Amino acid sequence: MSDFHALTVSAVDRLTPNSVALTFDIPENLATTFSFNAGQYITLKHSIDGQEVRRAYSISSAPSSGKLTIGIKKVVDGTFSVYANENIQVGDTLDVMAPEGRFVFERDDSEKTIAAFAAGSGITPIMSIAETVLENNNTNRFVLVFGNQTPEETMYREELLQLQEKYANRFFVQWVYSRSTEPDCLFGRIETSTVNLITKNKFKTFHFDAFYLCGPETMINTVSDTLKANGISEDKILFELFTSTDTEDTLAENLDGKTQVEVLVEDETFSFTMNKRALVLDAVLKENIDAPYSCQGGVCSSCIARVTEGKAEMVKNQILTDAEVEEGLILTCQAHALTPTLKVDYDDV
């Protein structure tokens, strides 16, 4: 489940002064393993200064392109993002996990009109989704609202302009800049008034089948709340967080005692005792169990597992639906054991 494959970097393209696109060469024997749906992500593993680092990055290329490309924006004081922007070269090898993720566009033959709100590096999965939507049906339409500081710092700007030219009557972009005043662009950030401008004014005649939101948590909350206030059903609003606000773990403070844990990973069972104040994933990794994980912050979905016996509670959950939680699914990086025994299955998800 958590298998990594050594892939060679076949292209390094500078997107902005502070972001880069990496394309990987996929050997023929791994073509099926690395097939993906528009919107999914891959997890990279690499040793930097003697420390193993794992990071999840959305795939920006469309499945039809035959390429596996990700965009990485340099983060101040970041570890892997800085390394990727300053050190990775064509021919380098990185360990890569197979694509995963739920923030996807499901292809079908019906006509679709889709809207997306993205900010900064949140454009990466939207690139894949937009191109897939537009090529899937010659009547499909796509409206993108994209926020950045300046045009120079806008990831995939040239590629988006090319898509506008290719799909002139079906692909529409509303550029938003917070530090630059540009013709026909909004100034500021994506906020309630931006959402209303798109849905109630510029594209008021469009019936949107789905809304894809990707970027900072504050933007996602603002857009989602505005859409719901305007009568959009929650099942039409899909989102993916790249960063999430820290949540104080008050649950751990109220827990005492030990839990006997049984973990199933790739048909192998492991047993150990953990402190209830520890997070399940932390305890699993402490036992040197090769369970799947990536962000360790409740943002990706790599560490999802099913509780088959006992009970666990999550500190925060921004990914799983209420129905999935009822079925016993947990984000192990956010979960504490509440019962004397706990059985967790990473295979049955």
Side-chain angles (χ1 to χ4, degrees):
M1 179 185 293
S2 58
D3 287 346
F4 283 87
H5 304 271
L7 298 184
T8 301
V9 177
S10 60
V12 178
D13 298 302
R14 178 61 55 185
L15 298 175
T16 72
N18 292 297
S19 64
V20 68
L22 304 182
T23 300
F24 294 92
D25 178 55
I26 308 299
E28 188 174 338
N29 66 311
L30 292 177
T32 301
T33 300
F34 281 94
S35 63
F36 61 92
N37 294 322
Q40 289 193 301
Y41 65 87
I42 55 176
T43 298
L44 308 183
K45 180 176 69 172
H46 196 63
S47 179
I48 301 175
D49 296 330
Q51 296 293 320
E52 180 186 295
V53 178
R54 296 191 185 195
R55 294 292 186 270
Y57 291 102
S58 293
I59 302 168
S60 57
S61 52
S64 63
S65 69
K67 296 181 179 180
L68 183 70
T69 301
I70 57 174
I72 303 176
K73 183 177 182 179
K74 185 188 295 185
V75 178
V76 177
D77 297 325
T79 302
F80 190 87
S81 67
V82 172
Y83 179 83
N85 273 265
E86 297 181 357
N87 298 95
I88 292 180
Q89 300 177 4
V90 172
D92 287 352
T93 299
L94 300 174
D95 290 326
V96 185
M97 193 186 293
E100 56 186 333
R102 302 169 163 211
F103 184 70
V104 298
F105 171 69
E106 300 287 354
R107 302 182 67 152
D108 61 46
D109 295 330
S110 63
E111 182 178 329
K112 300 287 187 183
T113 297
I114 305 295
F117 291 81
S121 59
I123 191 61
T124 47
I126 302 301
M127 287 295 301
S128 182
I129 292 171
E131 191 165 355
T132 302
V133 168
L134 293 166
E135 69 184 18
N136 194 56
N137 187 314
N138 59 16
T139 61
N140 283 356
R141 298 177 296 186
F142 200 99
V143 176
L144 169 64
V145 182
F146 188 19
N148 290 277
Q149 293 183 353
T150 65
E152 293 72 25
E153 288 292 345
T154 300
M155 296 176 68
Y156 292 106
R157 184 172 183 272
E158 292 304 317
E159 289 80 356
L160 288 168
L161 292 173
Q162 291 171 15
L163 282 179
Q164 277 189 296
E165 184 176 350
K166 182 177 181 179
Y167 301 104
N169 299 316
R170 300 197 287 120
F171 183 53
F172 312 91
V173 181
Q174 177 62 69
W175 309 92
V176 183
Y177 297 114
S178 62
R179 296 186 182 179
S180 179
T181 302
E182 305 292 333
D184 301 320
C185 302
L186 298 180
F187 180 79
R189 300 181 184 277
I190 297 174
E191 50 194 19
T192 297
S193 59
T194 316
V195 181
N196 289 333
L197 174 68
I198 296 302
T199 59
K200 294 184 174 182
N201 189 313
K202 294 188 70 172
F203 301 97
K204 63 182 179 181
T205 62
F206 284 20
H207 172 75
F208 291 103
D209 296 285
F211 296 83
Y212 288 82
L213 322 179
C214 192
E217 186 176 7
T218 51
M219 184 214 75
I220 288 176
N221 289 340
T222 296
V223 175
S224 179
D225 290 345
T226 305
L227 290 173
K228 286 185 281 189
N230 290 342
I232 304 299
S233 59
E234 192 167 354
D235 63 336
K236 287 188 175 183
I237 304 171
L238 299 89
F239 66 88
E240 181 151 273
L241 293 164
F242 276 9
T243 59
S244 179
T245 54
D246 291 332
T247 301
E248 186 177 356
D249 190 353
T250 56
L251 177 60
E253 299 173 2
N254 300 317
L255 294 175
D256 286 307
K258 305 283 187 179
T259 293
Q260 182 63 38
V261 182
E262 184 175 289
V263 175
L264 180 64
V265 181
E266 295 184 339
D267 296 324
E268 189 173 358
T269 301
F270 303 87
S271 298
F272 59 91
T273 301
M274 64 171 284
N275 192 309
K276 289 182 179 179
R277 294 192 178 189
L279 294 165
V280 172
L281 178 62
D282 289 346
V284 168
L285 296 179
K286 188 177 180 180
E287 295 294 321
N288 295 316
I289 299 170
D290 189 23
Y293 75 94
S294 181
C295 73
Q296 294 183 273
V299 175
C300 74
S301 57
S302 297
C303 71
I304 292 176
R306 185 181 301 277
V307 174
T308 57
E309 184 178 308
K311 184 177 180 181
E313 184 175 334
M314 290 176 282
V315 178
K316 65 177 179 180
N317 168 38
Q318 296 162 304
I319 296 177
L320 299 172
T321 65
D322 291 342
E324 289 171 328
V325 174
E326 283 293 319
E327 291 174 9
L329 296 185
I330 59 171
L331 301 172
T332 55
C333 74
Q334 297 296 310
H336 289 284
L338 302 184
T339 49
T341 60
L342 182 71
K343 291 186 180 181
V344 177
D345 186 349
Y346 280 96
D347 295 346
D348 183 24
V349 292

